[in-house]
Amino acid sequence: MLSVAITTFNRKDVICGAIQSALDFVKPVGGMVVVVDDGSTDLTEHEISNRFYQHIMSGKLLYFLHERNQGVTAAKNTAFSLCPAHWILFLDSDDELIKGVAEPVIDLLLKHRDEALVFFRCVDQKGGFIGRQFDKPKLLTLPIYASHASYGEALIAINKPVAPDPPFDADLRGYEGVGCARLISRHGPALLSTIIARRYNLSRRDRLSSFAGTLQRSAHLAQGHLRYIAICGAAMQPSTRYLLLVKALMYYLLSFIAKLLPKND
């Protein structure tokens, strides 16, 4: 019924925490964990093989290595293809799943077998809620998602039988929101749950959302904004569409500036 997909790149120091939280999460519901290593060079494979040998041998944990780095969205698509379960949760390698909520998560997913996409809520590493909180689950139509996304950082769950195609745009090397918007456009509203299922780490400098990460992928962000407009544009307020166009232009300018900066050896 449930698999947890974890993608990682050169995060040997934190990946085991994410894996252990996922194994603990799926244990009461009989799920499995799939880890896709996006070409790490820091002995991540050695660390995982040593720490989780028994789980790998028992089939509870599957480890797959990309021969070269392809970006997080390509890695998530690989994980999606490898996960055998009905529902797939996507967990970043520096985050953790919250203990004790697997059963309510499964109960909710069982009640929404026809939905393609469900979002679960997140707290930061200090326990602070991230985003706007609601008292009851909320349906995210395309106009709502176009304006508010998932109302804050969220854990993505995708219903593979309903939406069997790889969900994310590999060439963007990120920007999962484009894939989520496409799922809503094709399959109807997503469900925003009230269940807090993920502890989101905001402290690491190697996150894609850091300034360095944003600078590095600015051209992809510009493309992602334009692709997002192509999917959601008709459902957007004109002011939102205009703002995204301005942001796309700014990211293109930032990518040009980044090319002029000296490279660190």
Side-chain angles (χ1 to χ4, degrees):
M1 185 66 188
L2 181 70
S3 292
V4 177
I6 303 175
T7 54
T8 189
F9 175 65
N10 285 345
R11 283 181 170 173
K12 182 184 70 171
D13 57 325
V14 295
I15 180 64
C16 289
I19 293 173
Q20 188 61 60
S21 80
L23 288 168
D24 292 342
F25 189 88
V26 301
K27 186 176 180 179
V29 295
M32 72 174 298
V33 179
V34 174
V35 176
V36 173
D37 183 343
D38 194 24
S40 294
T41 58
D42 66 346
L43 300 179
T44 290
E45 181 177 12
H46 181 267
E47 186 76 14
I48 293 174
S49 298
N50 282 349
R51 175 81 176 268
F52 299 105
Y53 175 79
Q54 294 296 335
H55 293 90
I56 293 172
M57 295 304 295
S58 69
K60 293 296 183 182
L61 174 64
L62 173 65
Y63 173 84
F64 183 88
L65 176 66
H66 278 171
E67 292 185 1
R68 59 179 180 82
N69 180 262
Q70 300 177 39
V72 65
T73 38
K76 288 185 176 183
N77 283 345
T78 298
F80 182 84
S81 68
L82 293 172
C83 285
H86 191 110
W87 283 95
I88 301 165
L89 304 182
F90 290 90
L91 182 68
D92 291 341
S93 56
D94 58 342
D95 297 337
E96 295 182 359
L97 292 170
I98 304 294
K99 291 182 179 180
V101 298
E103 290 177 348
V105 163
I106 283 289
D107 288 344
L108 183 139
L109 295 178
L110 283 170
K111 294 175 183 176
H112 295 274
R113 291 178 179 272
D114 296 329
E115 310 288 348
L117 178 63
V118 174
F119 295 107
F120 294 96
R121 309 315 299 269
C122 300
V123 293
D124 61 28
Q125 62 268 37
K126 296 181 180 179
F129 189 85
I130 302 176
R132 181 177 171 186
Q133 201 163 9
F134 296 95
D135 294 330
K136 57 183 180 180
K138 183 178 180 65
L139 285 178
L140 303 182
T141 62
L142 191 61
I144 293 174
Y145 189 78
S147 297
H148 304 286
S150 53
Y151 288 95
E153 190 62 38
L155 176 72
I156 296 170
I158 295 178
N159 188 338
K160 193 171 183 178
V162 173
D165 296 328
F168 303 114
D169 291 32
D171 62 317
L172 295 180
R173 300 181 70 89
Y175 211 136
E176 290 90 335
V178 168
C180 292
R182 188 178 293 113
L183 286 173
I184 294 171
S185 175
R186 291 176 177 175
H187 302 285
L191 179 71
L192 180 66
S193 168
T194 60
I195 298 172
I196 298 172
R198 175 186 174 196
R199 184 174 294 106
Y200 184 71
N201 187 349
L202 295 169
S203 62
R204 291 184 64 88
R205 294 182 179 180
D206 63 349
R207 294 196 72 90
L208 290 180
S209 56
S210 68
F211 176 76
T214 299
L215 185 65
Q216 183 179 11
R217 65 192 188 106
S218 51
H220 292 126
L221 286 170
Q223 295 170 25
H225 276 32
L226 295 179
R227 208 167 292 180
Y228 193 78
I229 293 170
I231 297 169
C232 302
M236 288 178 180
Q237 295 292 332
S239 58
T240 303
R241 188 165 55 248
Y242 175 76
L243 179 60
L244 285 174
L245 284 170
V246 171
K247 285 185 175 180
L249 177 59
M250 290 177 62
Y251 279 126
Y252 273 126
L253 291 173
L254 190 60
S255 68
F256 177 75
I257 294 171
K259 292 177 182 179
L260 301 179
L261 296 175
K263 299 291 188 299
N264 295 324
D265 296 330

